[in-house]
Amino acid sequence: MRVQLALLALLGAVLAAGAGAWQLSRIGIHQGYSPAQPIAFPHKVHAGDNQIPCLYCHFAARTSRHAGIPPASVCMNCHNVLEKQTVEIEKLKEAVDLAQPIRWVKVHNLPDFVYFNHSQHVQSGVACQSCHGAVEKMDRVEQVSPLTMGWCLRCHREHAKVPVNDFERAALSLKQKQKPTAGLDCASCHY
Amino acid sequence: MSSTVIRVNGKAPAEVSQHHVPMLPPPVWVDGSPSLRQITDDIARPLEMRPGKGWWICFSIAFAALLNLGGMVSYLFAKGIGIWGLNNSVGWAFDITNFVFWVGIGHAGTLISAILLLFRQQWRTSINRSAEAMTIFAVMCAGMFPAIHMGRPWDAFFIFPYFPNQRGPLWVNFRSPLVWDVFAISTYLTISLVFWYLGMIPDLATLRDRAAGGIKKFVFHILSLGWSGSQRTWSRYEIVSLVLAGLATSLVLSVHSIVSMDFATSLLPGWHTTIFPPYFVAGAIYSGFGMVLTLLIITRYTMNLQNYITLRHLDKMAKVTMLTGMIVSYAYLTEFFSAWYGGNLYERYHFINRATGPYAWCFYLMVLCNVVTPQLLWFRKARTSVVFLFAVSILVNIGMWFERFVIIVVSLHRAFLPSGWGMFYPTVFDVGILVGSFGLFFTCFLLFIRFLPMIAMWEIKGVVGHGAHKMALSSQEQEEPVSV
Amino acid sequence: MSDSDSHGHYASCKSAKERLVQIQPQEAPAYWKSVAELQNGPRSSGEFPGGLPAAGQSGTTRRDFLALMGFTLAAAGLSGCRAPVQNAIPLLVGSDQFVPGVANWYATTCRGCAASCSLLAKQRDGRPIKIEGNAESSLFGGGTCATGQAMVLSLYDDERLRGPLWQGQPAGWEELDRRVAESVATAKAGSGSIVLLSGTINSPSTRAIISEWRASHPNFLHVEYDATSLSAMRAANQESFGLAVVPHYALDRARVIVGLDADFLGTWLSPVEFTRQYANGRKPEDAPSLHIQFESGMSVTGSNADLRIAVAQSDLGPVAAALLARIARRGGHAGIGPIEDPIDSRKLDAVAEQLWKHRGESLVISGCNDVTVQIVVNTLNVMLGNIGKIIDLTRPSLQRNGDDQAMSDLVEKMNRGEVHTLFMLGVNPAYDYHDPARFLSGLEKVPLSVSFSDRRDETSSHVHAVCPDHHFLEAWGDAEPVATHFSLAQPLIAPLFGTRSAQESLLKWLGHEPADYYTYLRDYWQKNIFRRQRGVPDFQSFWDRSLQEGLVVLPLLHPATEPRIQGNWRAAVHSIREDQAKHRQAGSADRYELDLYESVALRDGRHANNPWLQELPDPISKVTWGNCAAIAPATAAKLKLTDGDVVRLRTVTQQIEVPIFIQPGQHAQTISVALGHGRNKVGRAGQNVGVNAYPLLRVKDGYRLLSAREVTLEKTGRSEKLATTQTHFSMEGRPIVLETSLEELHQSSEVGIEPALPTLWAARPEGEHAWGMAIDMNACTGCSACVVACQAENNVPVVGKDQIERIRIMHWIRLDRYYSGPEEDPVAVHQPMMCQHCQNAPCETVCPVLATTTSSEGLNQQVYNRCIGTRYCANNCPYKVRRFNWYNYTDNPQFDFNMESPLGRMVLNPDVAVRSRGVMEKCSMCVQRIQLAKNVALQGRRELADGDIQTACQQACPTQAIVFGDLKEPNSRVAQLQHSQRRYQVLDELGTRPNVSYLKKVRNPVRTT
């Protein structure tokens, strides 16, 4: 009897410890973070229903480390000519008229000490969705991925090919033209 | 061991000895052949009455030092390692010196209780308990330094392979001696702790039985794990202690060997030496015995236990100190010889610099304490003069601290590129934290002698006259004739 | 936008919003801060500015556009597991020229000194963050000097004035313009003259403005004044050739260079240009030039000479004369009497021998501001036939126009009350004039004094009006450093403060409406420069191209006529002889001579508030934060002085107290003290650091000699700690800097790489590249440009005097300087030392947490966020190149330098993490540049080419001593250099297998016996 109780207690303790450790290890991870935005911009309508390519608005992602939130002027490219009016679009136009930048709330926040470059990934043919999820189905953008180093590495490991001999190296640099390899060196992201 | 025997034949000691003297000279390690009850009383006294003035004075000093440690470490965490005297040339100084110093101290305990147990050295019985306690406190002090010497102590957990780990499989560097240290030290602490506690159980039971009642009784009740003192308990108990002794013995050698590899595996002239492991172990035992001497000489006075910690004990310890001291001296010679004989430019410069450079005074202090001093112990007079032994033991401690300082700082301050040379000057925080670590150590030790039996009653009862004949049978080799 | 340190709050974001809501063009500068945060946002905390004082109105459309680039990442603290609220504020109006996070480069011209090097400045989201040399420039190449590299930090100097001052009180531009206009009007009417006192001005458009003044105001006077001037040389050339100019030298064409106390590799005239030429002329593989240097104190130039002869200041003239005597004898010129040789005659014979052997391709340069010496030197060059070949008088240098006599005359005029209105542009006489009291008393008598200084310095705090000029990175401008070589300067950022370019002010007071310097400049170029060139038909495209390239070289206006020697050089020799005799009588053992020299970092003192330069170790003494008196070892022993003992140096009238530094190679009777220190009104960093030695300098017939005689030395008994970064100067016979001789080099031929030592480690998987570096010890002059370049590129913090005394400097690259040979006449070497990126890195095996590892591309990578700071790696590094963050150096009041202030942090490179307290850091071989280049190659769908990647140190090096590249690419320069027979690796016997290799220094000794 006593023994069983003891074992039970032990089991409980172990489980509790495990749960605790898991929680600790999740500190600073904001998966599922989905803040309200000053203008309720529906990606669903733009990227989904109207099939606007991501890089039309987030043009910076092609060449810069920042994907960049499009300037209001980019929105106005279309909304100047579209007569559809909603409260949200009113907000946008007001902002433009008042020459007042829009304070969007950032959804995906990387840690301070890692260097991430959008263009590198876009140029390597990584789909936006593979990190940001199916944004085109979202009304309000949500952080889908944990954005942890482990999560980054899972993908990098798949696409990393560290050649060991000259032949492989030659083969690789041929392949490079089409598909670059992901770095596994610390210095690929940390500097 | 023999306690069982003692308990069964409750005859008067006189008869026993009479009966057996022709057979064997009885090994007696307690003076004034006190009765068994007397022994228990003597040893339990400090625990059951209010501590004397002496204890309070020592304790307040030690505790003050401990508070100072707390303050300075907090400031260290708040400001950064910059408050120490370290610099680009000398990245380690007092921090790691203290670490190695305290680990070294920690060696005597296990050596005494484990190795001497295996060798059936009866004289260990009256000192092993406090030596083990000392070990544990010393290792605590030692363990503190690697933690606080980190630039980012809040990330200290990085040095353990932990799970779950959101950074993807991310391991520690198993090639790094610092990682080996982590395992070595923690193992050592655990084993010593277990060994110490196990050894105390019968005495805790005694105290439980003596306790009038209330919280004290309850605590001892819990701690003694329902010790009954039955025949079966005793026999199993002794097997366990033997097994643990076997485990601990290997640790005595492993721990300081691994600590020495922090230096031996690096390529710095003065560090990159193959003789470090044995050299460090010898040094550790040397310093450990030094510290045991210091402690016991103090306590046997403050707790007036002269009868239990006799001059003969001190004499034995002095001999061990001398032996290990000479091993250390030999190591010093070897270092210089190989530096000259090896003909390595940097190595050679380093040892010339050690003896003639800006830190030469540390080197000569070290030689004085670790090479010259032990030689005085050849004389029985020296070994039996308490005052002299006390002085020696202090010198030994100083010498061993400086040995580590010389190895670490002197090697670092003039390494390969002369452009990178620089001097280390300690700041008040370096010194303060060193003093503080002594505060921590002595606070713990004073609390120990206040609340726990500092001499293994059940063991020492085996080496008073009563159990002499049984003891003689259980003992494999001759004890030297008692000289009183 | 946020108070941008990690514990930012919503509150701050709100307050930010308030500021955001009203955006009007004139509010624009409020956005600079946010732009700063744009790139910094995701980086380490505490890095971004929390706000800037408002700036003045900005004119051009580009500025408006830049101003509109609001984009903010306001970091609100990550408290526990709560999601951090960060805001992202995009541009209102996008632009295809500007992509957030992508750097633009603009060509401009350096104003760090009058040498006016051509620059390329890196602008990241509207923030200049890095300066590099303009490789297009035929004069300066892609290199820069340490000072030039640091100029970008002086833009973000907190001490800069926020707007104009009247009587020390903030005032409006209108008010000032009114007052000045009145004063000028009265002056024009009255007798008092209007004076513009300026440093050397080689901006053609500015000179045009000045001549407009001269034209419209008969009593206008323009005086050019340099703290360290070459006016004696101009006078001498006037006498010798009838041309009052500073010639333009071609050191690369000279086979023999004899320097008389001219530190042309350090500070003299145009160091970047000379350093480049010098190195080109001394490539050991082909016939290197021979360099002999006569000087009193050890200078950068002297430390590179093949033969360095220490002479007293007073003997420089006699040495020149003695050389002239020998050359004249050989040349068959009569009329030079016997001259007693001031030094060992055999040495002089040897030097004369070499000069004569290379007639027509040799060069004698003197830095003495003494007409007689300069005349003798001219004569030497004429007799050797160097004029026109090595020395170009037809295309003179315009980099030093100061006129000492005009200056002293002006001071007298001022004291006589004949100056009514005084403008001061780029000068600080109250600090660097030899008689500041006299100048200030004169200044008091001037009814209206105006300074264009950017801060309240020694001078501008005594004037009526301060009209702060732009920093050159905020301003339009142009320059003509050498005749027919023009360069343009353009703004990279809207003015941070309410400053106004001096030219604009001058135009306004001249009555131009609108007084817009940009238009004026453009017109000037259209009228003058554009006309003189043939290449481009229409001005617009010419202008665009010039702006893009930053420089234009025009043909000479009129064909040059070879100047003939005239003037009586024998008289000069005679007076030198007399002077020598006079000095001999006066001289005695306890009378010393003083040798004052421009400090390599601070130059004449104008950069004293730049913490990067204050912390830059002097290339020779390795002393930072202050100057000291260099004393010969023998003298120090005689006087029982040791480093840091404070002594009192007393001339007839003046005295200073300065700590001594025992300098091998110092002339026994001469004491050298650096100028440019001891500013007492300059700003927090430079305030009262070191001692001002200008008052000691001696004026000889109107010329400021940077020396003094009859100096007595008294002990004060006090002693200071010198903040040196290197305390031991001997190599202790260790194989660290290897040397070879020219013969040896030319005998043997190329050799392969010797096989590396065996290793026990398993081979590590190799990537596509193997980054490596080769450093030519023969090309490195120790100029230290690389140190500051690295600091700027990699956000290396400044730690201050106290920390350097504790040996805690943070520089990632250092220049080790070793001496060999006798103390009184040593041979010096400079060795750049940074992380060697070992393949078997000792640091790597000992790190318990794998915070430092070797990458598949051979980089030794340091991961800051993994580092727990055990410092084991630093202990085990045989090169001692690892740097530990002993404290938090960012945003920490204890370290009140640029990284403490929000403004100063604007200089940080957003692509490099700012390290926090308790982590180890070191040279990363500019991995951010490597990654960027890879990314660019990827975007262009091409392979990386050799030269795509330049590390910051490599880029800054004027002599291209540092070569970086891919060792796996057999044709890359660095791979080629691996086969050089000069190649070796430092401490490779330890089996570290460094990726950095060195090329041995080549010795080419002059036989003097």
Side-chain angles (χ1 to χ4, degrees), chain C residues 952-969:
Chain C
C953 50
Q954 170 189 20
Q955 200 289 327
C957 182
T959 67
Q960 299 178 348
I962 302 176
V963 177
F964 171 86
D966 186 352
L967 296 166
K968 277 222 178 82
E969 175 59 52

mmCIF file of all heavy atoms in Angstrom, chain C residues 952-969:
data_model
loop_
_atom_site.group_PDB
_atom_site.id
_atom_site.type_symbol
_atom_site.label_atom_id
_atom_site.label_comp_id
_atom_site.label_asym_id
_atom_site.label_seq_id
_atom_site.Cartn_x
_atom_site.Cartn_y
_atom_site.Cartn_z
ATOM 1 N N ALA C 952 36.750 44.932 -43.817
ATOM 2 C CA ALA C 952 36.866 46.368 -43.534
ATOM 3 C C ALA C 952 38.328 46.784 -43.464
ATOM 4 O O ALA C 952 38.727 47.800 -44.032
ATOM 5 C CB ALA C 952 36.157 46.696 -42.226
ATOM 6 N N CYS C 953 39.149 45.967 -42.814
ATOM 7 C CA CYS C 953 40.561 46.346 -42.670
ATOM 8 C C CYS C 953 41.242 46.364 -44.026
ATOM 9 O O CYS C 953 42.000 47.274 -44.349
ATOM 10 C CB CYS C 953 41.263 45.374 -41.726
ATOM 11 S SG CYS C 953 41.007 43.642 -42.118
ATOM 12 N N GLN C 954 40.932 45.346 -44.836
ATOM 13 C CA GLN C 954 41.533 45.270 -46.172
ATOM 14 C C GLN C 954 41.150 46.497 -46.977
ATOM 15 O O GLN C 954 41.988 47.141 -47.593
ATOM 16 C CB GLN C 954 41.024 44.008 -46.872
ATOM 17 C CG GLN C 954 41.372 43.903 -48.331
ATOM 18 C CD GLN C 954 40.654 42.736 -49.006
ATOM 19 O OE1 GLN C 954 39.645 42.246 -48.495
ATOM 20 N NE2 GLN C 954 41.172 42.299 -50.123
ATOM 21 N N GLN C 955 39.866 46.849 -46.908
ATOM 22 C CA GLN C 955 39.374 47.951 -47.727
ATOM 23 C C GLN C 955 40.069 49.257 -47.321
ATOM 24 O O GLN C 955 40.436 50.057 -48.164
ATOM 25 C CB GLN C 955 37.857 48.077 -47.554
ATOM 26 C CG GLN C 955 37.165 48.839 -48.658
ATOM 27 C CD GLN C 955 37.476 50.303 -48.602
ATOM 28 O OE1 GLN C 955 37.666 50.853 -47.516
ATOM 29 N NE2 GLN C 955 37.550 50.936 -49.772
ATOM 30 N N ALA C 956 40.260 49.439 -46.026
ATOM 31 C CA ALA C 956 40.788 50.720 -45.561
ATOM 32 C C ALA C 956 42.281 50.863 -45.824
ATOM 33 O O ALA C 956 42.806 51.965 -45.831
ATOM 34 C CB ALA C 956 40.520 50.864 -44.064
ATOM 35 N N CYS C 957 42.975 49.750 -46.043
ATOM 36 C CA CYS C 957 44.441 49.793 -46.093
ATOM 37 C C CYS C 957 44.927 50.532 -47.337
ATOM 38 O O CYS C 957 44.649 50.105 -48.453
ATOM 39 C CB CYS C 957 45.001 48.380 -46.090
ATOM 40 S SG CYS C 957 46.790 48.364 -46.089
ATOM 41 N N PRO C 958 45.650 51.639 -47.168
ATOM 42 C CA PRO C 958 46.102 52.397 -48.336
ATOM 43 C C PRO C 958 47.159 51.633 -49.143
ATOM 44 O O PRO C 958 47.332 51.905 -50.335
ATOM 45 C CB PRO C 958 46.719 53.663 -47.739
ATOM 46 C CG PRO C 958 46.393 53.650 -46.301
ATOM 47 C CD PRO C 958 46.100 52.241 -45.914
ATOM 48 N N THR C 959 47.852 50.690 -48.509
ATOM 49 C CA THR C 959 48.916 49.984 -49.224
ATOM 50 C C THR C 959 48.467 48.601 -49.675
ATOM 51 O O THR C 959 49.269 47.832 -50.188
ATOM 52 C CB THR C 959 50.131 49.794 -48.302
ATOM 53 O OG1 THR C 959 49.747 48.886 -47.268
ATOM 54 C CG2 THR C 959 50.555 51.102 -47.696
ATOM 55 N N GLN C 960 47.221 48.257 -49.437
ATOM 56 C CA GLN C 960 46.703 46.931 -49.785
ATOM 57 C C GLN C 960 47.590 45.821 -49.219
ATOM 58 O O GLN C 960 47.898 44.842 -49.900
ATOM 59 C CB GLN C 960 46.569 46.793 -51.296
ATOM 60 C CG GLN C 960 45.593 47.810 -51.843
ATOM 61 C CD GLN C 960 45.465 47.757 -53.341
ATOM 62 O OE1 GLN C 960 46.250 47.107 -54.026
ATOM 63 N NE2 GLN C 960 44.462 48.438 -53.865
ATOM 64 N N ALA C 961 47.985 46.029 -47.968
ATOM 65 C CA ALA C 961 48.818 45.021 -47.317
ATOM 66 C C ALA C 961 47.997 43.792 -46.957
ATOM 67 O O ALA C 961 48.540 42.706 -46.777
ATOM 68 C CB ALA C 961 49.447 45.609 -46.058
ATOM 69 N N ILE C 962 46.688 43.961 -46.849
ATOM 70 C CA ILE C 962 45.820 42.860 -46.430
ATOM 71 C C ILE C 962 45.046 42.351 -47.637
ATOM 72 O O ILE C 962 44.437 43.140 -48.362
ATOM 73 C CB ILE C 962 44.843 43.327 -45.326
ATOM 74 C CG1 ILE C 962 45.619 43.872 -44.131
ATOM 75 C CG2 ILE C 962 43.925 42.210 -44.907
ATOM 76 C CD1 ILE C 962 44.752 44.435 -43.032
ATOM 77 N N VAL C 963 45.131 41.051 -47.859
ATOM 78 C CA VAL C 963 44.395 40.443 -48.971
ATOM 79 C C VAL C 963 43.501 39.354 -48.393
ATOM 80 O O VAL C 963 43.968 38.469 -47.667
ATOM 81 C CB VAL C 963 45.346 39.844 -50.012
ATOM 82 C CG1 VAL C 963 44.555 39.166 -51.108
ATOM 83 C CG2 VAL C 963 46.239 40.923 -50.582
ATOM 84 N N PHE C 964 42.207 39.426 -48.728
ATOM 85 C CA PHE C 964 41.256 38.437 -48.242
ATOM 86 C C PHE C 964 40.659 37.712 -49.436
ATOM 87 O O PHE C 964 40.491 38.299 -50.497
ATOM 88 C CB PHE C 964 40.145 39.125 -47.451
ATOM 89 C CG PHE C 964 38.999 38.218 -47.077
ATOM 90 C CD1 PHE C 964 39.057 37.453 -45.931
ATOM 91 C CD2 PHE C 964 37.873 38.127 -47.879
ATOM 92 C CE1 PHE C 964 38.018 36.616 -45.587
ATOM 93 C CE2 PHE C 964 36.829 37.290 -47.542
ATOM 94 C CZ PHE C 964 36.900 36.536 -46.395
ATOM 95 N N GLY C 965 40.377 36.429 -49.263
ATOM 96 C CA GLY C 965 39.740 35.720 -50.368
ATOM 97 C C GLY C 965 39.557 34.247 -50.065
ATOM 98 O O GLY C 965 39.723 33.794 -48.939
ATOM 99 N N ASP C 966 39.255 33.531 -51.142
ATOM 100 C CA ASP C 966 38.921 32.113 -51.031
ATOM 101 C C ASP C 966 40.156 31.279 -51.347
ATOM 102 O O ASP C 966 40.640 31.287 -52.480
ATOM 103 C CB ASP C 966 37.788 31.786 -52.007
ATOM 104 C CG ASP C 966 37.299 30.364 -51.820
ATOM 105 O OD1 ASP C 966 37.948 29.624 -51.050
ATOM 106 O OD2 ASP C 966 36.291 30.003 -52.452
ATOM 107 N N LEU C 967 40.638 30.537 -50.351
ATOM 108 C CA LEU C 967 41.846 29.728 -50.564
ATOM 109 C C LEU C 967 41.555 28.554 -51.498
ATOM 110 O O LEU C 967 42.459 27.989 -52.101
ATOM 111 C CB LEU C 967 42.372 29.210 -49.225
ATOM 112 C CG LEU C 967 42.851 30.280 -48.246
ATOM 113 C CD1 LEU C 967 43.016 29.698 -46.860
ATOM 114 C CD2 LEU C 967 44.155 30.892 -48.715
ATOM 115 N N LYS C 968 40.296 28.203 -51.627
ATOM 116 C CA LYS C 968 39.942 27.075 -52.489
ATOM 117 C C LYS C 968 39.938 27.489 -53.947
ATOM 118 O O LYS C 968 39.947 26.644 -54.832
ATOM 119 C CB LYS C 968 38.549 26.555 -52.106
ATOM 120 C CG LYS C 968 38.559 25.610 -50.933
ATOM 121 C CD LYS C 968 37.624 24.438 -51.193
ATOM 122 C CE LYS C 968 37.666 23.466 -50.042
ATOM 123 N NZ LYS C 968 36.790 23.900 -48.941
ATOM 124 N N GLU C 969 39.893 28.806 -54.195
ATOM 125 C CA GLU C 969 39.855 29.304 -55.568
ATOM 126 C C GLU C 969 41.288 29.508 -56.031
ATOM 127 O O GLU C 969 41.931 30.489 -55.644
ATOM 128 C CB GLU C 969 39.079 30.628 -55.597
ATOM 129 C CG GLU C 969 39.042 31.333 -56.943
ATOM 130 C CD GLU C 969 38.419 30.468 -58.012
ATOM 131 O OE1 GLU C 969 37.293 29.971 -57.758
ATOM 132 O OE2 GLU C 969 39.070 30.253 -59.048
#
